Amino acid sequence: MAEQHTPRSLIVSLYGAYGRDLARDEEPMPVAALIRLLAVLGVDAPSVRSSVSRLKRRGLLLPRRTAEGAAGYALSEDARQLLEDGDRRIYARAEPKLSDGWVLAVFSVPEAERHKRHLLRSRLARLGFGTAAPGVWIAPARLYEETRHTLERLGLSSYVDLFRGEHLGYAPTAEAVGRWWDLPSIAKLHEEFLAAHEPVLRAWSAAPGTAEDAYRAYLFALDSWRRLPYADPVLPSELLPGDWPGARSAEVFAALHERLRDAGASFVAASRG
């Protein structure tokens, strides 16, 4: 199945990969540069403007003028927090340990506010939580800080209690995680990433391309990969099937990041005009 890269997702990936270099200089990304950089990825100007408007309404992008007076957009504080939280997942290389324990989210939402119950469930799922029981969600303990930030940002923290703990039985933990998460579906996401991007790594290892080529290949890889550490809670290896593809896909993304990210930065800088 062909990968889907939406304009809005690609813009978030672009700011995550390169936009914070501008933020350190307190420079917004010019709209004209956004259009040029997204055109390389096959996104037309109307789609860029529409997606930027949606991100602005969500409070993630702020309209600003460049030093030359051109229209542009800078990251909001919420957006920076989102990207920093994402960095800990997207670029993580540490091996998770079973001894790190778990974080539990237990929530209760009044029937009159059932829409918030749906929002809570969908957001916890997007953070990588599994369902241990109705109203009880579980994730590796390292996700606590990001979970807290997310619930506070969405105004949902008053409905949730968070706990740290360890699993004491009765079923073996390796058996229990198969109920808490849909591991075959997660494995399929890793296999799809490998099918799309492992050939790119092989091609670049054989014959490096231009800065524009590096930028394009990296943005597509990042945009695909950054969803995976949310769908996959990245469990300790002893809890996973022996043929688990997650470690290999993480290695491929890390190699693409090392080879392509900085190589593409010169093309982004030149596109700023």
Side-chain angles (χ1 to χ4, degrees):
M1 183 176 67
E3 290 186 300
Q4 299 297 316
H5 298 279
T6 68
R8 181 166 48 176
S9 180
L10 287 168
I11 290 170
V12 172
S13 295
L14 171 59
Y15 270 93
Y18 300 109
R20 283 173 287 179
D21 293 344
L22 300 176
R24 281 193 287 272
D25 299 330
E26 299 183 353
E27 267 288 299
M29 179 82 78
V31 173
L34 275 173
I35 291 172
R36 284 193 294 271
L37 288 164
L38 270 293
V40 171
L41 307 177
V43 181
D44 60 28
S47 297
V48 173
R49 295 185 187 278
S50 174
S51 298
V52 165
S53 293
R54 286 196 292 271
L55 291 167
K56 183 176 70 172
R57 286 196 297 272
R58 288 179 57 194
L60 299 178
L61 293 181
L62 303 174
R64 294 287 186 268
R65 291 282 173 180
T66 68
E68 295 78 21
Y73 286 91
L75 293 166
S76 68
E77 288 302 319
D78 278 352
R80 289 194 184 94
Q81 183 68 69
L82 276 169
L83 293 173
E84 288 171 9
D85 285 341
D87 286 349
R88 285 190 284 273
R89 295 194 190 222
I90 293 166
Y91 304 108
R93 298 293 292 159
E95 178 69 23
K97 300 182 180 64
L98 188 56
S99 59
D100 294 339
W102 307 92
V103 58
L104 295 176
V106 180
F107 65 83
S108 177
V109 180
E111 186 63 24
E113 298 180 280
R114 67 179 71 178
H115 64 286
K116 292 187 177 179
R117 186 184 309 146
H118 173 73
L119 179 58
L120 257 172
R121 287 171 177 159
S122 63
R123 187 57 55 150
L124 288 171
R126 286 172 60 184
L127 286 167
F129 277 71
T131 308
V136 181
W137 293 64
I138 187 167
R142 69 178 182 281
L143 303 185
Y144 162 70
E145 288 290 344
E146 183 180 359
T147 302
R148 182 172 62 82
H149 293 156
T150 300
L151 295 175
E152 290 172 356
R153 185 174 61 254
L154 295 175
L156 297 171
S157 57
S158 62
Y159 302 99
V160 184
D161 286 303
L162 297 174
F163 302 87
R164 287 185 188 271
E166 57 182 313
H167 181 239
L168 300 176
Y170 292 94
T173 305
E175 177 184 321
V177 298
R179 299 194 307 270
W180 300 340
W181 285 278
D182 184 351
L183 294 180
S185 293
I186 296 170
K188 184 178 179 181
L189 293 175
H190 284 292
E191 290 161 358
E192 290 173 348
F193 177 85
L194 287 167
H197 299 285
E198 196 166 25
V200 176
L201 178 60
R202 287 197 295 267
W204 272 83
S205 298
T210 66
E212 179 178 339
D213 294 334
Y215 160 77
R216 183 189 298 106
Y218 181 62
L219 252 291
F220 281 137
L222 175 61
D223 197 59
S224 297
W225 173 256
R226 69 182 181 86
R227 300 174 178 86
L228 261 170
Y230 288 89
D232 182 353
V234 190
L235 300 171
S237 58
E238 61 263 42
L239 301 181
L240 295 168
D243 58 351
W244 187 250
R248 178 60 186 159
S249 66
E251 290 170 2
V252 167
F253 174 72
L256 287 168
H257 173 73
E258 182 177 353
R259 185 177 292 270
L260 301 179
R261 192 272 173 193
D262 289 348
S266 61
F267 177 74
V268 175
S271 297
R272 286 179 56 191

